Amino acid sequence: MANQISPEEVAKRLQNSEEVFIIDVRENGEVASGKIASANNIPLGQLALRKGELDKEKSYVVVCQSGNRSKAACGILEALGFKVEDMIGGMNNWNGNIE
């Protein structure tokens, strides 16, 4: 079970210029309405196919719209050997900047 992280904690890390690697697992159409600036968009259905784009040395924060898909994505990524944190409540709870 992935660790959970609050949207506020993610925002705080970004404000502190910490290295935060965010994977947004929403579909392209959803991301078009705005995403966290540094997020890498990899839709949930493409995660296993695109795992080569990720680095097992890094820890990733996984984001979706409401928190359901990010939970599933964390399960997939953990099974593939990646370190992940699940952002609680997804973009619905995000009050930080979006692009």
Coordinates of all heavy atoms in Angstrom, one line a residue:
M1 N 0.9 -1.2 0.0 CA 0.0 0.0 0.0 C 0.9 1.2 0.0 O 1.7 1.4 0.9 CB -0.9 0.0 1.3 CG -1.8 1.1 1.4 SD -3.3 0.9 0.5 CE -4.2 2.4 1.0
A2 N 0.7 2.1 -1.0 CA 1.5 3.3 -1.1 C 1.3 4.3 0.0 O 0.2 4.4 0.6 CB 1.2 4.0 -2.4
N3 N 2.3 5.0 0.4 CA 2.1 6.1 1.3 C 1.2 7.1 0.7 O 1.2 7.3 -0.5 CB 3.5 6.8 1.6 CG 4.4 5.9 2.5 OD1 3.9 5.0 3.2 ND2 5.7 6.1 2.4
Q4 N 0.5 7.8 1.6 CA -0.4 8.9 1.1 C 0.2 10.2 1.4 O 0.9 10.3 2.4 CB -1.8 8.8 1.7 CG -2.5 7.5 1.2 CD -4.0 7.6 1.6 OE1 -4.3 7.9 2.8 NE2 -4.9 7.3 0.7
I5 N 0.0 11.2 0.6 CA 0.5 12.5 0.8 C -0.6 13.5 0.5 O -1.4 13.3 -0.4 CB 1.8 12.8 -0.1 CG1 2.4 14.1 0.2 CG2 1.5 12.7 -1.6 CD1 3.8 14.4 -0.4
S6 N -0.7 14.6 1.3 CA -1.7 15.6 1.1 C -1.3 16.5 0.0 O -0.1 16.8 -0.2 CB -2.0 16.3 2.4 OG -0.9 17.2 2.6
P7 N -2.3 17.1 -0.7 CA -2.0 18.1 -1.7 C -1.2 19.3 -1.1 O -0.3 19.8 -1.8 CB -3.4 18.6 -2.2 CG -4.3 17.4 -1.9 CD -3.7 16.8 -0.7
E8 N -1.5 19.6 0.1 CA -0.8 20.7 0.8 C 0.7 20.4 1.0 O 1.5 21.3 0.8 CB -1.4 21.0 2.2 CG -2.8 21.5 2.2 CD -3.9 20.5 1.9 OE1 -3.6 19.3 2.0 OE2 -5.0 20.9 1.4
E9 N 1.0 19.1 1.3 CA 2.4 18.7 1.5 C 3.1 18.8 0.1 O 4.3 19.2 0.0 CB 2.5 17.3 2.1 CG 3.9 16.8 2.2 CD 4.8 17.6 3.2 OE1 4.3 18.3 4.1 OE2 6.0 17.5 2.9
V10 N 2.4 18.4 -1.0 CA 3.0 18.4 -2.3 C 3.3 19.9 -2.7 O 4.4 20.2 -3.1 CB 2.1 17.8 -3.4 CG1 2.7 17.9 -4.8 CG2 1.9 16.3 -3.1
A11 N 2.3 20.7 -2.4 CA 2.5 22.2 -2.7 C 3.7 22.8 -1.9 O 4.5 23.6 -2.5 CB 1.2 22.9 -2.4
K12 N 3.8 22.4 -0.7 CA 4.9 22.9 0.2 C 6.2 22.4 -0.4 O 7.2 23.2 -0.4 CB 4.7 22.4 1.6 CG 5.5 23.2 2.7 CD 5.0 22.8 4.1 CE 5.8 21.5 4.5 NZ 5.4 21.0 5.8
R13 N 6.3 21.2 -0.8 CA 7.6 20.7 -1.3 C 8.0 21.5 -2.6 O 9.1 21.9 -2.8 CB 7.5 19.2 -1.7 CG 7.5 18.3 -0.5 CD 7.5 16.9 -1.0 NE 7.2 15.9 0.1 CZ 7.1 14.6 -0.1 NH1 7.2 14.1 -1.4 NH2 6.9 13.8 0.9
L14 N 7.0 21.8 -3.4 CA 7.2 22.5 -4.7 C 7.7 23.9 -4.3 O 8.6 24.5 -4.9 CB 6.0 22.5 -5.6 CG 5.7 21.2 -6.2 CD1 4.3 21.2 -6.8 CD2 6.7 20.8 -7.2
Q15 N 7.0 24.6 -3.4 CA 7.3 25.9 -3.0 C 8.8 26.0 -2.4 O 9.5 27.0 -2.6 CB 6.4 26.5 -1.9 CG 5.0 26.9 -2.5 CD 3.9 27.0 -1.5 OE1 4.1 26.6 -0.3 NE2 2.8 27.5 -1.9
N16 N 9.2 24.9 -1.7 CA 10.5 24.9 -1.1 C 11.6 24.5 -2.2 O 12.7 24.2 -1.8 CB 10.6 23.9 0.0 CG 9.7 24.4 1.2 OD1 9.4 25.6 1.3 ND2 9.3 23.5 2.1
S17 N 11.2 24.4 -3.4 CA 12.1 24.0 -4.5 C 12.7 22.6 -4.3 O 13.8 22.4 -4.8 CB 13.2 25.1 -4.7 OG 12.6 26.3 -5.0
E18 N 12.0 21.8 -3.6 CA 12.4 20.4 -3.5 C 12.2 19.7 -4.8 O 11.3 20.1 -5.6 CB 11.6 19.6 -2.4 CG 12.0 20.1 -1.0 CD 11.1 19.4 0.1 OE1 11.0 18.2 0.0 OE2 10.6 20.1 0.9
E19 N 12.9 18.6 -5.1 CA 12.7 17.9 -6.3 C 11.5 17.0 -6.1 O 11.5 16.1 -5.2 CB 13.9 17.0 -6.7 CG 14.8 17.6 -7.7 CD 15.8 16.6 -8.2 OE1 16.3 15.8 -7.5 OE2 16.0 16.6 -9.4
V20 N 10.4 17.3 -6.8 CA 9.2 16.5 -6.7 C 8.8 16.0 -8.1 O 8.7 16.7 -9.0 CB 8.0 17.4 -6.2 CG1 6.8 16.5 -6.0 CG2 8.4 18.1 -4.9
F21 N 8.8 14.7 -8.2 CA 8.4 14.0 -9.5 C 7.0 13.6 -9.4 O 6.6 12.7 -8.7 CB 9.4 12.9 -9.8 CG 10.8 13.3 -9.8 CD1 11.6 13.1 -8.7 CD2 11.4 13.9 -10.9 CE1 13.0 13.5 -8.6 CE2 12.7 14.4 -10.9 CZ 13.5 14.2 -9.8
I22 N 6.2 14.3 -10.2 CA 4.7 14.0 -10.2 C 4.3 13.3 -11.5 O 4.7 13.7 -12.6 CB 4.0 15.4 -10.1 CG1 4.4 16.1 -8.8 CG2 2.5 15.1 -10.1 CD1 3.9 17.5 -8.6
I23 N 3.5 12.3 -11.3 CA 2.9 11.6 -12.5 C 1.4 11.8 -12.4 O 0.8 11.5 -11.4 CB 3.2 10.1 -12.5 CG1 4.7 9.8 -12.5 CG2 2.5 9.4 -13.7 CD1 5.1 8.4 -12.3
D24 N 0.9 12.5 -13.4 CA -0.6 12.7 -13.5 C -1.1 11.6 -14.4 O -0.8 11.5 -15.6 CB -0.8 14.1 -14.1 CG -2.3 14.5 -14.1 OD1 -3.1 13.7 -14.2 OD2 -2.5 15.7 -13.9
V25 N -2.0 10.7 -13.8 CA -2.5 9.6 -14.6 C -3.8 9.8 -15.2 O -4.5 8.9 -15.7 CB -2.5 8.3 -13.7 CG1 -1.1 7.9 -13.3 CG2 -3.4 8.5 -12.5
R26 N -4.3 11.1 -15.3 CA -5.5 11.4 -15.9 C -5.4 11.3 -17.5 O -4.3 11.3 -18.0 CB -6.0 12.8 -15.6 CG -6.4 12.9 -14.1 CD -6.7 14.3 -13.7 NE -5.6 15.2 -13.9 CZ -5.8 16.5 -14.1 NH1 -6.9 17.1 -14.1 NH2 -4.7 17.3 -14.3
E27 N -6.5 11.2 -18.2 CA -6.5 11.2 -19.6 C -6.1 12.6 -20.1 O -6.3 13.6 -19.5 CB -7.9 10.8 -20.2 CG -8.3 9.4 -19.8 CD -7.3 8.3 -20.3 OE1 -6.8 8.4 -21.4 OE2 -6.9 7.4 -19.5
N28 N -5.7 12.6 -21.4 CA -5.2 13.9 -22.0 C -6.3 15.0 -21.9 O -5.9 16.1 -21.7 CB -4.8 13.7 -23.4 CG -3.6 12.7 -23.5 OD1 -2.9 12.5 -22.6 ND2 -3.4 12.1 -24.7
G29 N -7.5 14.7 -22.2 CA -8.6 15.7 -22.1 C -8.8 16.3 -20.8 O -9.1 17.5 -20.7
E30 N -8.6 15.5 -19.7 CA -8.7 16.0 -18.4 C -7.5 16.9 -18.0 O -7.7 18.0 -17.4 CB -8.7 14.9 -17.3 CG -9.9 14.0 -17.4 CD -9.8 12.8 -16.5 OE1 -9.0 11.8 -16.9 OE2 -10.4 12.8 -15.5
V31 N -6.3 16.5 -18.5 CA -5.1 17.3 -18.2 C -5.2 18.7 -18.9 O -4.6 19.7 -18.4 CB -3.9 16.5 -18.6 CG1 -2.6 17.3 -18.5 CG2 -3.7 15.3 -17.7
A32 N -5.9 18.7 -20.0 CA -6.0 20.0 -20.8 C -6.6 21.1 -19.9 O -6.4 22.2 -20.2 CB -6.8 19.7 -22.1
S33 N -7.4 20.7 -18.9 CA -8.1 21.7 -18.1 C -7.2 22.2 -17.0 O -7.6 23.0 -16.2 CB -9.4 21.1 -17.5 OG -9.0 20.1 -16.6
G34 N -6.0 21.7 -17.0 CA -5.0 22.2 -16.0 C -4.3 21.0 -15.3 O -5.0 20.1 -14.8
K35 N -3.0 21.1 -15.1 CA -2.2 20.2 -14.3 C -1.2 20.9 -13.5 O -0.9 22.0 -13.7 CB -1.6 19.1 -15.2 CG -0.4 19.6 -16.1 CD 0.2 18.5 -16.9 CE 1.4 18.9 -17.7 NZ 2.6 19.3 -17.0
I36 N -0.7 20.2 -12.5 CA 0.4 20.7 -11.7 C 1.6 21.0 -12.7 O 1.9 20.1 -13.5 CB 0.8 19.8 -10.5 CG1 -0.4 19.6 -9.6 CG2 2.0 20.3 -9.7 CD1 -0.3 18.4 -8.6
A37 N 2.2 22.1 -12.6 CA 3.2 22.6 -13.6 C 4.3 21.5 -13.9 O 4.5 21.3 -15.1 CB 3.9 23.9 -13.1
S38 N 4.9 20.9 -12.9 CA 6.0 20.0 -13.2 C 5.5 18.5 -13.5 O 6.3 17.7 -13.7 CB 6.9 20.0 -12.0 OG 6.3 19.5 -10.9
A39 N 4.2 18.3 -13.5 CA 3.7 16.9 -13.6 C 4.0 16.4 -15.0 O 3.9 17.1 -16.0 CB 2.2 16.9 -13.3
N40 N 4.3 15.1 -15.0 CA 4.4 14.3 -16.3 C 3.1 13.5 -16.5 O 2.7 12.8 -15.6 CB 5.6 13.3 -16.1 CG 5.9 12.5 -17.3 OD1 5.4 12.8 -18.4 ND2 6.8 11.6 -17.2
N41 N 2.4 13.8 -17.6 CA 1.2 13.1 -17.8 C 1.4 11.7 -18.5 O 1.9 11.6 -19.6 CB 0.3 14.0 -18.7 CG -1.0 13.3 -19.1 OD1 -1.5 13.4 -20.2 ND2 -1.7 12.7 -18.1
I42 N 1.1 10.7 -17.7 CA 1.1 9.3 -18.3 C -0.3 8.7 -17.9 O -0.5 8.3 -16.8 CB 2.2 8.5 -17.7 CG1 3.6 9.1 -17.9 CG2 2.2 7.1 -18.4 CD1 4.8 8.3 -17.4
P43 N -1.2 8.7 -18.9 CA -2.6 8.1 -18.5 C -2.4 6.7 -17.9 O -1.6 5.9 -18.3 CB -3.3 8.1 -19.9 CG -2.6 9.2 -20.6 CD -1.2 9.2 -20.2
L44 N -3.3 6.4 -17.0 CA -3.3 5.1 -16.2 C -3.1 3.9 -17.2 O -2.3 3.1 -16.9 CB -4.6 5.0 -15.4 CG -4.7 3.7 -14.6 CD1 -3.5 3.6 -13.6 CD2 -6.0 3.7 -13.8
G45 N -3.8 3.9 -18.3 CA -3.8 2.7 -19.2 C -2.4 2.6 -19.9 O -2.1 1.5 -20.4
Q46 N -1.6 3.6 -19.8 CA -0.3 3.6 -20.5 C 0.9 3.3 -19.5 O 2.0 3.2 -20.0 CB 0.0 4.9 -21.3 CG -1.0 5.1 -22.4 CD -0.8 6.5 -23.0 OE1 0.3 7.1 -22.9 NE2 -1.8 7.0 -23.7
L47 N 0.6 3.3 -18.2 CA 1.7 3.3 -17.2 C 2.7 2.1 -17.5 O 3.9 2.4 -17.5 CB 1.1 3.1 -15.8 CG 0.9 4.4 -15.0 CD1 0.4 4.0 -13.6 CD2 2.2 5.2 -14.9
A48 N 2.2 0.9 -17.6 CA 3.1 -0.2 -17.7 C 3.9 -0.1 -19.0 O 5.1 -0.4 -19.0 CB 2.3 -1.5 -17.7
L49 N 3.3 0.3 -20.1 CA 3.9 0.5 -21.4 C 5.1 1.5 -21.3 O 6.1 1.4 -22.0 CB 3.0 0.9 -22.5 CG 1.9 -0.1 -22.9 CD1 0.9 0.6 -23.8 CD2 2.5 -1.3 -23.6
R50 N 4.8 2.6 -20.5 CA 5.8 3.7 -20.5 C 6.7 3.7 -19.3 O 7.3 4.7 -19.0 CB 5.0 5.0 -20.6 CG 4.3 5.2 -22.0 CD 3.4 6.4 -22.0 NE 4.1 7.6 -21.9 CZ 3.5 8.8 -21.8 NH1 2.2 8.9 -21.9 NH2 4.2 9.9 -21.7
K51 N 6.8 2.6 -18.6 CA 7.6 2.5 -17.4 C 9.1 2.9 -17.7 O 9.8 3.3 -16.8 CB 7.5 1.2 -16.7 CG 8.0 0.0 -17.5 CD 7.9 -1.3 -16.7 CE 8.6 -2.5 -17.4 NZ 7.8 -3.0 -18.5
G52 N 9.5 2.7 -18.9 CA 10.9 3.0 -19.3 C 11.2 4.5 -19.2 O 12.4 4.9 -19.1
E53 N 10.1 5.3 -19.1 CA 10.3 6.8 -18.9 C 10.6 7.2 -17.5 O 11.0 8.3 -17.2 CB 9.1 7.5 -19.4 CG 8.8 7.4 -20.9 CD 7.4 8.0 -21.3 OE1 7.1 9.0 -20.7 OE2 6.8 7.5 -22.2
L54 N 10.4 6.2 -16.6 CA 10.6 6.5 -15.1 C 11.9 5.9 -14.6 O 12.5 5.0 -15.2 CB 9.4 5.9 -14.4 CG 8.0 6.3 -14.9 CD1 6.9 5.6 -14.2 CD2 7.8 7.8 -14.8
D55 N 12.3 6.4 -13.5 CA 13.6 6.1 -12.8 C 13.3 5.5 -11.5 O 12.7 6.1 -10.6 CB 14.4 7.4 -12.7 CG 15.8 7.2 -12.1 OD1 16.1 6.1 -11.6 OD2 16.6 8.1 -12.2
K56 N 13.8 4.3 -11.3 CA 13.6 3.6 -10.0 C 14.3 4.2 -8.8 O 14.1 3.9 -7.7 CB 13.9 2.1 -10.1 CG 12.9 1.4 -10.9 CD 13.0 -0.1 -10.9 CE 11.9 -0.7 -11.7 NZ 12.1 -2.1 -12.0
E57 N 15.3 5.1 -9.1 CA 16.0 5.8 -8.1 C 15.2 7.0 -7.5 O 15.6 7.5 -6.5 CB 17.4 6.4 -8.6 CG 18.3 5.3 -9.1 CD 18.6 4.3 -8.1 OE1 19.0 4.7 -7.0 OE2 18.5 3.1 -8.3
K58 N 14.2 7.4 -8.2 CA 13.4 8.6 -7.8 C 12.1 8.1 -7.1 O 11.7 6.9 -7.3 CB 13.0 9.4 -9.0 CG 14.2 10.0 -9.7 CD 13.8 10.8 -10.9 CE 15.1 11.4 -11.6 NZ 14.8 11.9 -12.9
S59 N 11.5 9.0 -6.3 CA 10.2 8.7 -5.7 C 9.2 9.6 -6.4 O 9.4 10.8 -6.7 CB 10.3 9.0 -4.2 OG 9.0 8.8 -3.7
Y60 N 8.0 9.0 -6.8 CA 7.0 9.8 -7.5 C 5.8 10.0 -6.7 O 5.3 9.2 -5.9 CB 6.6 9.0 -8.8 CG 7.8 8.8 -9.8 CD1 8.6 7.7 -9.7 CD2 8.0 9.8 -10.7 CE1 9.7 7.6 -10.6 CE2 9.1 9.7 -11.6 CZ 9.9 8.6 -11.5 OH 11.0 8.5 -12.4
V61 N 5.2 11.2 -6.9 CA 3.9 11.5 -6.4 C 2.9 11.2 -7.5 O 3.0 11.8 -8.6 CB 3.8 13.0 -5.9 CG1 2.3 13.3 -5.5 CG2 4.7 13.2 -4.8
V62 N 1.9 10.4 -7.3 CA 0.9 10.1 -8.3 C -0.4 10.8 -8.1 O -0.9 10.8 -7.0 CB 0.7 8.5 -8.3 CG1 -0.3 8.2 -9.5 CG2 2.0 7.8 -8.5
V63 N -0.9 11.4 -9.1 CA -2.1 12.3 -9.1 C -3.1 11.9 -10.1 O -2.8 11.6 -11.2 CB -1.6 13.8 -9.4 CG1 -2.8 14.7 -9.4 CG2 -0.6 14.2 -8.4
C64 N -4.4 12.0 -9.7 CA -5.5 11.8 -10.7 C -6.5 12.9 -10.4 O -6.2 13.9 -9.8 CB -6.1 10.4 -10.7 SG -6.9 10.0 -9.2
Q65 N -7.8 12.7 -10.8 CA -8.8 13.7 -10.5 C -9.3 13.7 -9.1 O -9.4 14.7 -8.4 CB -9.9 13.6 -11.5 CG -10.9 14.8 -11.5 CD -10.2 16.1 -11.9 OE1 -9.5 16.1 -12.9 NE2 -10.4 17.1 -11.2
S66 N -9.7 12.4 -8.6 CA -10.3 12.3 -7.3 C -9.6 11.4 -6.3 O -9.9 11.4 -5.2 CB -11.7 11.8 -7.5 OG -11.7 10.5 -8.0
G67 N -8.6 10.7 -6.8 CA -7.9 9.8 -5.9 C -8.0 8.3 -6.2 O -7.3 7.5 -5.7
N68 N -9.0 7.9 -7.0 CA -9.2 6.5 -7.3 C -8.2 5.9 -8.2 O -7.6 4.9 -8.0 CB -10.6 6.2 -7.9 CG -11.7 6.5 -6.8 OD1 -11.4 6.3 -5.6 ND2 -12.8 6.9 -7.2
R69 N -7.9 6.6 -9.4 CA -7.0 6.1 -10.3 C -5.6 6.1 -9.8 O -4.7 5.3 -10.1 CB -7.1 6.8 -11.7 CG -8.2 6.3 -12.5 CD -8.4 7.2 -13.7 NE -8.9 8.5 -13.3 CZ -9.2 9.5 -14.2 NH1 -8.9 9.4 -15.5 NH2 -9.7 10.6 -13.7
S70 N -5.3 7.2 -9.0 CA -3.9 7.3 -8.5 C -3.6 6.1 -7.6 O -2.5 5.6 -7.5 CB -3.6 8.6 -7.8 OG -4.5 8.8 -6.7
K71 N -4.6 5.6 -6.8 CA -4.4 4.5 -6.0 C -4.1 3.2 -6.8 O -3.2 2.5 -6.5 CB -5.7 4.2 -5.2 CG -5.6 3.4 -4.0 CD -6.8 3.4 -3.1 CE -7.0 4.7 -2.4 NZ -8.2 4.9 -1.7
A72 N -4.8 3.1 -7.9 CA -4.6 1.9 -8.8 C -3.2 2.1 -9.4 O -2.5 1.1 -9.5 CB -5.7 1.9 -9.9
A73 N -2.9 3.3 -9.8 CA -1.6 3.5 -10.5 C -0.4 3.2 -9.5 O 0.6 2.6 -9.9 CB -1.5 5.0 -11.0
C74 N -0.6 3.6 -8.2 CA 0.4 3.3 -7.2 C 0.6 1.8 -7.1 O 1.8 1.3 -7.0 CB 0.1 3.9 -5.9 SG 0.3 5.7 -5.8
G75 N -0.5 1.1 -7.2 CA -0.3 -0.4 -7.1 C 0.5 -1.0 -8.2 O 1.3 -1.8 -8.1
I76 N 0.2 -0.5 -9.4 CA 0.9 -0.9 -10.6 C 2.4 -0.6 -10.5 O 3.3 -1.4 -10.7 CB 0.3 -0.3 -11.9 CG1 -1.1 -0.8 -12.2 CG2 1.2 -0.5 -13.1 CD1 -1.9 0.0 -13.2
L77 N 2.7 0.7 -10.2 CA 4.1 1.2 -10.1 C 4.8 0.5 -9.0 O 6.0 0.1 -9.2 CB 4.1 2.7 -9.9 CG 3.7 3.5 -11.2 CD1 3.5 4.9 -10.8 CD2 4.7 3.3 -12.3
E78 N 4.2 0.2 -7.8 CA 4.9 -0.5 -6.8 C 5.2 -1.9 -7.2 O 6.3 -2.4 -6.9 CB 4.0 -0.5 -5.5 CG 4.1 0.8 -4.8 CD 3.3 0.8 -3.4 OE1 2.2 0.2 -3.4 OE2 3.9 1.3 -2.5
A79 N 4.3 -2.5 -7.9 CA 4.5 -3.9 -8.4 C 5.7 -3.9 -9.4 O 6.4 -4.9 -9.5 CB 3.3 -4.4 -9.1
L80 N 5.9 -2.8 -10.1 CA 7.0 -2.7 -11.1 C 8.3 -2.3 -10.4 O 9.4 -2.1 -11.0 CB 6.7 -1.7 -12.2 CG 5.5 -2.2 -13.1 CD1 5.1 -1.0 -14.0 CD2 6.0 -3.4 -14.0
G81 N 8.3 -2.0 -9.1 CA 9.5 -1.7 -8.3 C 9.8 -0.2 -8.1 O 10.9 0.2 -7.8
F82 N 8.7 0.6 -8.4 CA 8.9 2.1 -8.2 C 8.5 2.5 -6.8 O 7.6 1.9 -6.2 CB 8.2 2.9 -9.3 CG 8.7 2.7 -10.6 CD1 8.1 1.7 -11.5 CD2 9.8 3.4 -11.1 CE1 8.6 1.5 -12.8 CE2 10.3 3.2 -12.4 CZ 9.7 2.3 -13.2
K83 N 9.1 3.6 -6.3 CA 8.7 4.3 -5.1 C 7.7 5.3 -5.4 O 7.9 6.2 -6.2 CB 9.9 4.9 -4.4 CG 11.0 3.9 -4.0 CD 12.1 4.5 -3.2 CE 13.1 5.4 -4.1 NZ 14.2 4.7 -4.7
V84 N 6.5 5.2 -4.7 CA 5.4 6.1 -5.0 C 4.7 6.6 -3.8 O 4.7 6.0 -2.8 CB 4.4 5.5 -6.0 CG1 5.0 5.3 -7.4 CG2 3.9 4.2 -5.4
E85 N 4.1 7.8 -3.9 CA 3.2 8.3 -2.9 C 1.9 8.7 -3.6 O 2.0 9.3 -4.7 CB 3.8 9.6 -2.2 CG 5.0 9.3 -1.4 CD 5.6 10.6 -0.9 OE1 6.1 11.4 -1.7 OE2 5.6 10.8 0.3
D86 N 0.8 8.5 -3.0 CA -0.5 8.8 -3.6 C -1.1 10.1 -3.0 O -1.3 10.2 -1.8 CB -1.4 7.6 -3.2 CG -2.8 7.7 -3.8 OD1 -3.1 8.6 -4.6 OD2 -3.7 6.8 -3.4
M87 N -1.3 11.1 -3.9 CA -1.8 12.3 -3.5 C -3.3 12.2 -3.2 O -4.1 11.9 -4.1 CB -1.6 13.5 -4.5 CG -1.9 14.8 -3.9 SD -1.5 16.2 -5.0 CE -3.0 16.4 -5.9
I88 N -3.7 12.4 -1.9 CA -5.1 12.2 -1.5 C -6.0 13.2 -2.1 O -5.8 14.4 -2.2 CB -5.1 12.4 0.1 CG1 -4.2 11.5 0.8 CG2 -6.6 12.2 0.6 CD1 -3.9 11.9 2.2
G89 N -7.1 12.7 -2.7 CA -8.2 13.5 -3.2 C -7.9 14.1 -4.6 O -8.8 14.8 -5.1
G90 N -6.7 13.8 -5.1 CA -6.4 14.2 -6.5 C -6.6 15.7 -6.7 O -6.5 16.5 -5.8
M91 N -6.7 16.0 -8.0 CA -6.8 17.4 -8.4 C -8.0 18.2 -7.8 O -8.0 19.4 -7.7 CB -6.8 17.6 -10.0 CG -5.5 17.1 -10.6 SD -4.0 18.1 -10.0 CE -4.3 19.7 -10.8
N92 N -9.0 17.4 -7.4 CA -10.2 18.0 -6.8 C -9.8 18.8 -5.5 O -10.5 19.7 -5.1 CB -11.3 17.0 -6.5 CG -11.9 16.4 -7.7 OD1 -11.8 17.0 -8.8 ND2 -12.6 15.3 -7.6
N93 N -8.7 18.3 -4.9 CA -8.3 18.9 -3.6 C -7.1 19.8 -3.8 O -6.5 20.3 -2.8 CB -8.0 17.8 -2.6 CG -9.2 17.1 -2.1 OD1 -10.3 17.5 -2.5 ND2 -9.0 16.1 -1.2
W94 N -6.6 20.0 -5.0 CA -5.4 20.8 -5.3 C -5.7 22.2 -5.3 O -6.5 22.7 -6.1 CB -4.8 20.3 -6.6 CG -3.5 21.1 -7.0 CD1 -3.4 22.0 -7.9 CD2 -2.2 21.0 -6.4 NE1 -2.2 22.5 -8.0 CE2 -1.4 21.9 -7.1 CE3 -1.7 20.2 -5.4 CZ2 0.0 22.0 -6.8 CZ3 -0.4 20.3 -5.1 CH2 0.5 21.2 -5.8
N95 N -5.0 23.0 -4.5 CA -5.2 24.5 -4.5 C -4.0 25.2 -5.0 O -4.0 26.4 -5.0 CB -5.5 24.9 -3.0 CG -6.9 24.4 -2.5 OD1 -7.8 24.3 -3.3 ND2 -6.9 23.9 -1.3
G96 N -3.0 24.5 -5.3 CA -1.7 25.1 -5.8 C -1.9 25.6 -7.2 O -2.9 25.6 -7.9
N97 N -0.8 26.0 -7.8 CA -0.8 26.5 -9.2 C -1.0 25.4 -10.2 O -0.6 24.3 -9.9 CB 0.6 27.2 -9.5 CG 0.8 28.5 -8.7 OD1 -0.2 29.1 -8.3 ND2 2.0 28.8 -8.4
I98 N -1.6 25.7 -11.3 CA -1.7 24.8 -12.4 C -1.3 25.5 -13.7 O -1.3 26.7 -13.7 CB -3.2 24.2 -12.5 CG1 -4.2 25.3 -12.7 CG2 -3.5 23.3 -11.3 CD1 -5.6 24.8 -13.1
E99 N -1.0 24.7 -14.7 CA -0.6 25.3 -16.0 C -1.6 24.8 -17.0 O -2.2 23.7 -16.8 CB 0.8 24.9 -16.3 CG 1.1 23.5 -16.6 CD 2.4 23.2 -17.1 OE1 3.4 24.0 -17.0 OE2 2.6 22.1 -17.7

